Amino acid sequence: MIAADMAAPPTAPVALLLVSHSAALAEATETLVRQMTGTRVAVARAAGAGPDGRELGTDPLAIVAAIEALPETCRAIVVLMDIGSALLSADMARDMVPDALRAKLYLSPAPFVEGALAAATAAGADLPVARILAEAANALGAKHADIGPPQEAPPPIAATARRQVVIADPAGLHLRPAASIVATAARYDADIRLTVNGRSARGDSLTALLTLDATGGATCVIEAAGPQADGAAAALAAVLAQAPAQESVQEPAQAPLSAPAAEGFPSSAPAGAVPVSPGRVTGPLHVVRRAMPAIPDHPAQDRDAARQRLQAAIDAAFAQLGAGPPIMVAQAALLRDPALTDPAFLAIRQDGLNEAAAWWRAVTAAQARYDALSAPYLRARGQDVAEIGRAVLWHLVPESARPGPAIPDTPCILLVDALSAAEAASLPASVIGVLDRQGGATSHAAILLRGAGIPALAGVMLDGTPRTVAFDGATGEIVADPDAATAARFAQRVAGALSDGPASVALRDGTMLEFWANIGSVRDSMAAAAAGVAGAGLVRTEFLFLDRPDAPSEAEQQDRIAALLAPLAGRPVVLRVLDAGADKPMPFLALAHEDNPALGVRGLRALLRRPDFFRAHLRAILRAGVGMDLRIMMPMVTVADEMRAARALVAETCRALAVPVPPVGAMIEVPAAALRVRDLVEGCDFFSIGTNDLTQYVMAAERGQQALAAFADAAHPAVLDLCAHVVAQAAGRPVSVCGEAAGDPRTARLLVEAGIRRLSMGVARLAPVRTCFATGLP
């Protein structure tokens, strides 16, 4: 794992350090260097992982040890790295060594093998460090001269604006932020180039941006030229510096493949099963069988017509994906990427391929570029390319499109190959679990499954096809055809979670405690209706907007909100208008960058600054709510003037639509609003306490900061006292709690003791909370 040549003469004061994922690659590279330079240059290796260094990986501690093993006479150490995390490991190691050693280190962006040979030759000639670094960086010059530069290298630009920014998203430059970059760049009259770790990409190419292999924490240089260069560079810097929303993707921790057996369960996980979405489930297995459409191999008879057919298919797939949830909208952005579409059209024009063959050639080439990346999350984006590629094929060769077997109406567990995001978003309620032979924990389908609360595993290989399966989505354990006792144990954790129950219970003081549900999807609405809730205490609208560069039309908002509300017809529904800002950035609102967005323009503050959008949003909500028991809730209310302005807009919109004004209420998340709730009474018909943000602000502890997790306790007396104060000062207005605390039985009891009589929670939390109050306490 660590190796160094200790016998370097003083005539070669510059040493080399080879950092590679592969011990064999580093060793072979050193052998080449030795054949060129002999022993004149000191060379150290820090390569591989595991006890003997034969596993793929890099280790910052091993790099530190290799640095320290080089002769003290070295005045400089040039570090060559192979791919991806090798740079991150080297950068971490540089921060770990003493200042004297750190001053000697020079991380080179040169190609690993060619750069090492060039640097060693220059170091052996005792050239200055700057010259050695230049020789390494120019090591591909001979290849470029003979072959030409890489086809995807962005053209040089005479940049007049330059920004440098650290990528804030821990998952790096993945699909959604890259799509935001492309959308933002399109609004400016400027040529844009982004450079990360020596690799550059055009600002209008989604594929090129994603294959930069840019990880979270990496430094990105933004260069722009043209009439609006300054604005473009500033806007893109703001996108990259924006911390992700909580819902945004983060690479989940991978459970070990040999995870220990859970309590009372046999250790029967198949090798390679990857936990995707937690939850235990048992049920009949339904195998989804499908095939790729046949790709015609005949040449294009009319190349112009073939190009038009391909463009029509791309447009149709774009419209279909663009009407889906935010993840699918981000996938659709790939269909506007010239790095994907241009090669396809070129294959028709120059090579005479038919439209389907040309398209699939471009798709497989783009997917191969993702497969070569180092970060697992970014490699998983190749699945997005394959998904949108198939979406276009269905329009090009409809006779070969797979209908697929219908999913049963009765509960079942799906066994499928590479569940797509579109499929995950449209699973019926009968699907209680998913086993994916391919896929992964970082796919967008996995994200949607976790959001829907559907237990899932990826990388599953079963011996034969069992009739029933029991599995644990958190540990990877699977039991094929379990006996009755095993099936019962797997099912006991989820049994009754979504079952019907009372909408309210009588407490010992004679008052009624009502159980409401928090809703974020049609599936949530269906589950809430089946669970017999009194109503929906929080209907979130963010799902319409997250990561969308442009606001959805009023018609789209109306249709999707109506679908969200439909299962709850006859029950009261409290719909929260768009809660934008802070951890839920909305690019189309064009809110200014803030150093502390949690205390900035968010919630109602943001909507009041965009009155045209707010009116359109209200029109869509009111039209979708016709025939429903609709109530409208304003997020992040701070002072009475905000509520008066919001209520006036609601009344104005209702008059224009000739519909009755629904009840309007405030979400109490800000201590100022909680302390002065009596000032809000006049403008509010009800109140709902959002304990997540209220706790954050009361305890001065960011809700996403793991180091402060102990302070994120809604059961703290300070938070409970504020809740009791709101109830006491609400002048008889209904007060509910719709934060996560309502779904925790311990905290729910304390909230009820504080006077709360309406608890709204995720549907999965209803059963334990109902059980908690079955005795009529307190």
Side-chain angles (χ1 to χ4, degrees):
M1 190 172 182
I2 306 168
D5 179 358
M6 303 294 292
T11 56
V14 176
L16 299 188
L17 172 58
L18 306 179
V19 178
S20 172
H21 284 67
S22 168
L25 174 61
E27 186 176 351
T29 302
E30 184 185 356
T31 299
L32 284 174
V33 167
R34 293 295 180 212
Q35 290 175 353
M36 298 290 292
T37 65
T39 60
R40 288 175 305 187
V41 179
V43 179
R45 302 191 307 272
D52 57 359
R54 294 299 158 182
E55 298 175 11
L56 293 178
T58 56
D59 182 355
L61 294 177
I63 298 172
V64 170
I67 293 170
E68 294 174 344
L70 284 165
E72 294 182 358
T73 55
C74 295
R75 60 179 171 84
I77 301 169
V78 175
V79 184
L80 281 299
M81 302 142 288
D82 56 7
I83 55 176
S85 60
L87 173 61
L88 298 179
S89 295
D91 204 34
M92 290 176 63
R94 179 169 56 181
D95 292 337
M96 296 164 65
V97 298
D99 292 344
L101 273 178
R102 187 181 305 120
K104 295 183 178 182
L105 293 177
Y106 295 85
L107 272 57
S108 169
F112 187 71
V113 176
E114 294 90 343
L117 288 171
T121 301
D126 204 17
L127 296 179
V129 175
R131 179 72 181 278
I132 294 171
L133 292 170
E135 290 295 320
N138 293 328
L140 292 180
K143 287 183 179 178
H144 285 174
D146 289 341
I147 303 173
Q151 294 182 357
E152 292 184 12
I157 61 174
T160 58
R162 187 178 186 275
R163 292 290 182 98
Q164 184 169 298
V165 62
V166 174
I167 299 174
D169 194 319
L173 195 55
H174 57 90
L175 182 57
R176 288 199 258 182
S180 294
I181 288 174
V182 172
T184 302
R187 297 201 296 266
Y188 293 89
D189 182 8
D191 293 325
I192 301 167
R193 179 173 62 188
L194 280 72
T195 302
V196 182
N197 298 333
R199 301 173 66 173
S200 297
R202 291 166 43 179
D204 63 350
S205 173
L206 191 57
T207 298
L209 290 170
L210 289 170
T211 52
L212 281 176
D213 206 2
T215 54
T219 298
C220 177
V221 176
I222 303 166
E223 295 176 294
Q228 296 180 311
D230 289 335
L236 293 184
V239 171
L240 289 172
Q242 175 68 58
Q246 279 194 326
E247 297 85 353
S248 115
V249 179
Q250 292 191 16
E251 189 169 341
Q254 297 289 320
L257 298 182
S258 56
E263 180 183 353
F265 291 84
S267 180
S268 52
V274 177
V276 166
S277 179
R280 284 179 174 177
V281 67
T282 183
L285 189 68
H286 179 76
V287 181
V288 175
R289 293 183 173 90
R290 61 190 182 206
M292 275 288 296
I295 307 295
D297 57 5
H298 61 76
Q301 295 181 349
D302 184 332
R303 299 187 185 190
D304 288 339
R307 189 186 192 286
Q308 292 172 8
R309 285 192 294 270
L310 176 56
Q311 185 62 64
I314 291 172
D315 291 343
F318 181 86
Q320 185 178 30
L321 291 169
I327 286 173
M328 293 169 61
V329 173
Q331 284 184 325
L334 285 165
L335 294 173
R336 293 292 185 259
D337 184 357
L340 183 62
T341 57
D342 286 358
F345 291 130
L346 187 65
I348 295 174
R349 185 175 70 253
Q350 289 190 355
D351 301 336
L353 296 185
N354 68 72
E355 58 272 21
W359 172 250
W360 199 246
R361 176 199 281 183
V363 168
T364 53
Q367 188 174 9
R369 291 196 291 273
Y370 288 103
D371 291 342
L373 300 178
S374 59
Y377 182 85
L378 294 174
R379 284 201 305 272
R381 299 288 64 79
Q383 180 63 31
D384 291 305
V385 174
E387 288 179 17
I388 62 103
R390 287 192 291 269
V392 172
L393 281 183
W394 305 146
H395 294 282
L396 290 173
V397 282
E399 69 278 4
S400 302
R402 51 156 175 92
I407 296 174
D409 295 332
T410 54
C412 65
I413 295 171
L414 294 188
L415 178 62
V416 63
D417 285 311
L419 186 76
S420 72
E423 292 164 334
S426 59
L427 289 177
S430 59
V431 175
I432 60 174
V434 173
L435 298 174
D436 197 332
R437 294 188 182 98
Q438 301 179 41
T442 58
S443 73
H444 282 143
I447 297 163
L448 291 172
L449 290 171
R450 285 194 290 270
I454 302 174
L457 296 175
V460 173
M461 299 300 293
L462 297 175
D463 292 332
T465 306
R467 297 185 63 180
T468 61
V469 168
F471 74 88
D472 189 326
T475 67
E477 292 180 293
I478 303 177
V479 178
D481 289 321
D483 57 30
T486 301
R489 288 196 297 269
F490 270 89
Q492 67 183 4
R493 296 289 182 89
V494 295
L498 303 182
S499 60
D500 193 5
S504 61
V505 296
L507 301 178
R508 288 181 177 175
D509 62 4
T511 60
M512 299 299 294
L513 174 64
E514 298 177 355
F515 302 113
W516 295 49
N518 295 342
I519 302 300
S521 68
V522 173
R523 189 184 182 94
D524 289 345
S525 297
M526 295 171 64
V533 296
L538 171 61
V539 179
R540 299 181 174 94
T541 56
E542 309 86 277
F543 76 100
L544 291 171
F545 302 98
L546 283 175
D547 286 334
R548 294 189 65 153
D550 299 308
S553 67
E554 282 185 44
E556 180 187 348
Q557 293 184 53
Q558 178 182 338
D559 290 345
R560 295 184 66 188
I561 292 172
L564 190 63
L565 301 180
L568 294 166
R571 294 178 172 90
V573 290
V574 178
L575 188 143
R576 182 176 68 188
V577 298
L578 176 62
D579 185 16
D583 59 348
K584 288 171 282 192
M586 307 291 169
F588 62 85
L589 289 179
L591 301 175
H593 171 71
E594 298 173 314
D595 292 333
N596 191 352
L599 300 180
V601 179
R602 56 174 301 194
L604 186 54
R605 298 174 188 175
L607 292 175
L608 291 174
R609 293 191 179 201
R610 299 293 184 269
D612 291 341
F613 167 78
F614 197 3
R615 288 187 178 92
H617 184 43
L618 287 172
R619 287 193 296 268
I621 291 170
L622 290 164
R623 290 191 179 106
V626 171
M628 300 291 296
D629 185 357
L630 177 69
R631 294 98 189 272
I632 296 179
M633 181 163 64
M634 303 298 164
M636 292 298 297
V637 175
T638 305
V639 295
D641 284 347
E642 291 174 328
M643 273 307 299
R644 281 191 284 269
R647 194 176 187 101
L649 274 176
V650 173
E652 170 193 316
T653 308
C654 289
R655 285 194 298 272
L657 297 178
V659 298
V661 178
V664 179
M667 197 165 181
I668 304 300
E669 304 164 271
V670 179
L675 289 168
R676 299 290 300 183
V677 71
R678 62 181 178 273
D679 296 341
L680 301 172
V681 167
E682 181 182 352
C684 293
D685 300 306
F686 63 89
F687 297 102
S688 185
I689 300 174
T691 51
N692 300 345
D693 272 314
L694 184 62
T695 303
Q696 169 180 249
Y697 295 131
V698 169
M699 304 302 292
E702 183 185 350
R703 55 193 286 191
Q705 176 60 265
Q706 291 299 315
L708 302 175
F711 291 96
D713 183 9
H716 191 280
V719 180
L720 294 171
D721 286 352
L722 272 183
C723 293
H725 177 79
V726 171
V727 173
Q729 298 294 317
R733 304 291 197 273
V735 179
S736 64
V737 168
C738 64
E740 293 298 318
D744 174 53
R746 177 184 70 96
T747 309
R749 283 181 175 273
L750 297 173
L751 290 168
V752 171
E753 290 176 3
I756 299 297
R757 293 297 181 264
R758 187 175 290 174
L759 298 172
S760 189
M761 66 205 74
V763 180
R765 300 304 304 161
L766 282 166
V769 174
R770 279 170 167 161
T771 300
C772 170
F773 291 99
T775 57
L777 295 176

